[in-house]
Amino acid sequence: MFKKILVANRGEIALRVIRACQELGVKTVAVYSEADASAPHVREADEAVLVGPPPSSQSYLVGERLIEVAKRVGAEAIHPGYGFLSERAWFARAVRDAGLVFIGPPAEAIEAMGSKTAARQLAIAAGVPVVPGNTEGVRDADEAIAIAETYGFPVLLKAAAGGGGKGMRIVRARDDLSAALDSARREAKNAFGDDAVYLEKYIEGPRHVEIQVLADMHGNVVHLGERECSVQRRHQKMIEEAPSVAVTPELRARMGATAVAAARAAGYVNAGTCEFLLDRDGQYYFLEMNTRIQVEHPVTELVMGLDLVQWQIRVAAGEALPFAQKDFTPRGWAIECRITSEDPANGFLPSTGRIEYLHLPSGPGVRWDGGIEAGSDVGLHYDPMLAKLIVHAPTRALAIARMRRALLELTIDGVETSRAFHLRVMDDAEFQAGDISIQWLEQRIERLTAPTSEATVLQLAAVAAALVAHEERTAGRASSAPSTPGLSEASGSTGSGLTWAAVARREGLRGS
Ligand code: ADP
């Protein structure tokens, strides 16, 4: 096992990796930007090194500097987390060339899966079903129209180098294709420095179901079942769960075998994820392979009972996987909500400020993977995801009830967050029935984000109650004088047997 690992990331995933290392008895080195000098990951690591100013292009993304730091402090390996340098083949190669271990797949596997078109070609060669479409960037609008007409509209334009939903355009009619191609190309060029765009059939109403795989250096590859990530906004996941209501043990075995075949074809080692679309007829299509640990990995950990980040490290250190495929059957149900600093009532506008107060949920089956604490400043330099709230329970219905309870316990004051939105989803009858697809959220976004008039009234009432309570507390401290009878009633009971605090909690208003 390694003695010391450099963690080339920040926020919740840096802490997640540090925790895994602590349990393995491995020392950790954090890196941080000037904006993160007092961040929790810096404090929790055994050592920490400042690597640059706040913009990630001058700090967390400067691979050469991180490698130099790793060598200087005597770290033997680098864990890249997700995002940042995690899927840059050149970085994996540079780490290896520097005589260090990259905790992730070989650079060649990242490359093979790095471009969507290359990954499609590899998948087709391995007999993996892909979404109908072409496998190379289109030359021009005429070619795109010709291809689109062979598959039929609607089609989806996708950036070959894509990620994070960038460079994607749905095109429903022939006449719209040329303009959509231009704008997809422009967006792709800006985001990835590569304007190659190809075309896929647009599948209506599918689910996003992905398979976790784990491979060692000795030829063992297992899959760890599926995660359902259909609750998406702008092609970005918001809520994930494991298992999926749409996946039977038989389908799990088939999709799992497909993911293992794709991983083998890429010469894959370490943890990776094959993403699929699952249509209403039970057909599934490979989308891409993410060659890193994913944000939503904890739901798999909870239902499969293993620590994926520790296994990433152990596999990178050369350990052989001691499992057989038959060891993995999902136990119970896990759900994850991404807690972001975005305001659902305002079109998910990013919110910035200082976390003034933070109360974390706890109790049975609740896990908080966060990167914030009271006093943390939330700016615009980094991803708005502050933390992940994850629950595990025996059934899906109980997991939803548990998530609801945990969200009600959570208080984050100082920035707007996605908390109230998640509460709405947990209360939604269609979500509770598991009747979701990747379009589900977008089609209901108004209902799931707009405050109801009743909620507004109750919110005002809750604010008034909080003010009164505060006044009473300060008055009590100053003079021990009894409070105004009328007002103390406001801070206590609603007259219907509920306290105002309980009403505020029930409406998901506390601290949101
Ligand atoms: P990115 O790498 O940019 O995230 P993906 O290929 O993973 O792009 O797709 C992101 C999301 O877009 C998927 O989870 C799914 O919701 C949607 N999507 C992708 N391809 C298709 C398709 N062919 N038909 C319908 N929806 C799609």
Side-chain angles (χ1 to χ4, degrees):
M1 182 45 65
F2 306 113
K3 290 193 180 60
K4 198 192 263 192
I5 290 175
L6 181 132
V7 184
N9 216 300
R10 66 178 300 282
E12 76 88 16
I13 193 61
L15 264 180
R16 172 72 189 86
V17 175
I18 291 168
R19 285 174 171 148
C21 289
Q22 285 169 344
E23 291 179 19
L24 288 171
V26 176
K27 293 258 181 276
T28 52
V29 185
V31 292
Y32 63 98
S33 74
E34 283 160 9
D36 280 338
S38 56
H41 79 276
V42 174
R43 201 179 47 240
E44 293 303 323
D46 296 295
E47 289 168 64
V49 180
L50 174 69
V51 291
S56 40
S57 60
Q58 296 170 49
S59 49
Y60 297 106
L61 284 173
V62 188
E64 301 81 0
R65 195 173 307 152
L66 305 186
I67 291 171
E68 187 193 298
V69 169
K71 295 189 81 165
R72 179 152 46 86
V73 299
E76 304 133 281
I78 298 185
H79 195 304
Y82 52 68
F84 291 142
L85 295 165
S86 60
E87 289 184 287
R88 310 281 171 100
W90 66 263
F91 181 66
R93 192 168 283 124
V95 171
R96 187 172 63 195
D97 291 348
L100 304 171
V101 176
F102 178 77
I103 301 178
E108 293 72 19
I110 302 179
E111 233 146 38
M113 291 296 187
S115 135
K116 286 189 200 292
T117 43
R120 279 168 69 78
Q121 289 163 18
L122 186 143
I124 292 167
V128 169
V130 300
V131 185
N134 70 328
T135 51
E136 273 167 34
V138 292
R139 265 191 323 274
D140 52 29
D142 287 343
E143 192 192 11
I145 289 169
I147 297 168
E149 285 180 341
T150 60
Y151 299 111
F153 287 92
V155 294
L156 186 63
L157 296 173
K158 280 191 174 182
K166 291 209 181 71
M168 281 176 41
R169 296 286 183 283
I170 302 167
V171 185
R172 298 197 173 269
R174 186 179 199 276
D175 290 349
D176 301 334
L177 192 53
S178 179
L181 181 63
D182 286 346
S183 83
R185 276 207 164 131
R186 235 176 295 122
E187 192 170 302
K189 180 87 190 162
N190 279 338
F192 315 110
D194 174 359
D195 71 352
V197 166
Y198 73 103
L199 204 143
E200 276 179 15
K201 173 94 190 115
Y202 182 71
I203 314 270
E204 302 273 5
R207 292 169 184 267
H208 174 118
V209 175
E210 59 188 31
I211 302 281
Q212 176 72 54
V213 298
L214 188 58
D216 66 18
M217 294 173 185
H218 312 282
N220 302 305
V221 188
V222 290
H223 74 82
L224 302 173
E226 78 281 7
R227 292 186 285 262
E228 156 116 38
C229 314
S230 296
V231 181
Q232 299 184 354
R233 179 178 166 270
R234 301 197 174 158
H235 309 299
Q236 297 274 34
K237 299 161 188 167
M238 310 274 297
I239 297 173
E240 302 97 342
E241 51 186 300
S244 160
V245 292
V247 176
T248 60
E250 182 271 328
L251 181 57
R252 179 173 306 125
R254 266 195 300 137
M255 291 182 79
T258 303
V260 167
R264 285 196 189 279
Y268 205 84
V269 176
N270 217 283
T273 298
C274 289
E275 298 191 329
F276 297 93
L277 293 178
L278 175 64
D279 75 12
R280 292 170 187 158
D281 306 324
Q283 290 294 327
Y284 62 87
Y285 307 94
F286 173 81
L287 274 183
E288 64 170 346
M289 183 168 193
N290 288 319
T291 55
R292 54 173 159 81
I293 193 76
Q294 277 186 286
V295 171
E296 59 271 25
H297 75 274
V299 292
T300 298
E301 295 187 321
L302 292 172
V303 297
M304 291 301 187
L306 87 175
D307 187 311
L308 274 167
V309 177
Q310 286 189 14
W311 276 109
Q312 282 196 292
I313 297 168
R314 294 170 75 158
V315 158
E319 256 187 64
L321 294 176
F323 324 110
Q325 189 58 58
K326 65 172 172 36
D327 298 338
F328 294 107
T329 310
R331 217 193 91 256
W333 215 280
I335 303 180
E336 170 180 283
C337 288
R338 298 189 186 198
I339 308 296
T340 64
S341 52
E342 295 172 313
D343 183 4
N346 246 316
F348 287 88
L349 199 72
S351 170
T352 59
R354 175 161 296 172
I355 313 259
E356 302 289 355
Y357 177 77
L358 180 65
H359 176 80
L360 298 185
S362 51
V366 175
R367 168 171 164 181
W368 174 264
D369 277 20
I372 52 162
E373 57 194 2
S376 294
D377 284 316
V378 178
L380 288 173
H381 287 296
Y382 311 113
D383 193 272
M385 197 183 76
L386 303 176
K388 303 166 329 199
L389 178 56
I390 313 119
V391 298
H392 186 211
T395 64
R396 186 168 187 270
L398 291 170
I400 292 172
R402 182 160 280 171
M403 178 59 85
R404 194 175 180 285
R405 186 268 293 171
L407 285 163
L408 290 175
E409 280 184 29
L410 171 66
T411 306
I412 302 176
D413 288 340
V415 293
E416 300 296 335
T417 74
S418 55
R419 172 182 166 278
F421 158 77
H422 288 300
L423 268 171
R424 290 274 183 90
V425 176
M426 294 305 129
D427 281 340
D428 185 275
E430 286 169 343
F431 179 80
Q432 288 171 356
D435 187 11
I436 49 176
S437 76
I438 57 171
Q439 277 100 34
W440 179 79
L441 173 56
E442 297 269 10
Q443 287 163 358
R444 288 153 188 82
I445 199 98
E446 308 258 301
R447 167 153 67 75
L448 291 166
T449 54
T452 60
S453 54
E454 187 197 9
T456 313
V457 170
L458 287 165
Q459 191 157 24
L460 285 174
V463 169
L467 280 173
V468 170
H470 175 75
E471 215 161 78
E472 282 183 344
R473 270 200 308 275
T474 43
R477 241 179 272 134
S479 65
S480 305
S483 54
T484 329
L487 289 182
S488 72
E489 196 177 302
S491 70
S493 159
T494 60
S496 60
L498 279 173
T499 62
W500 281 112
V503 169
R505 252 200 316 276
R506 196 190 63 194
E507 296 303 316
L509 299 170
R510 203 181 64 171
S512 61

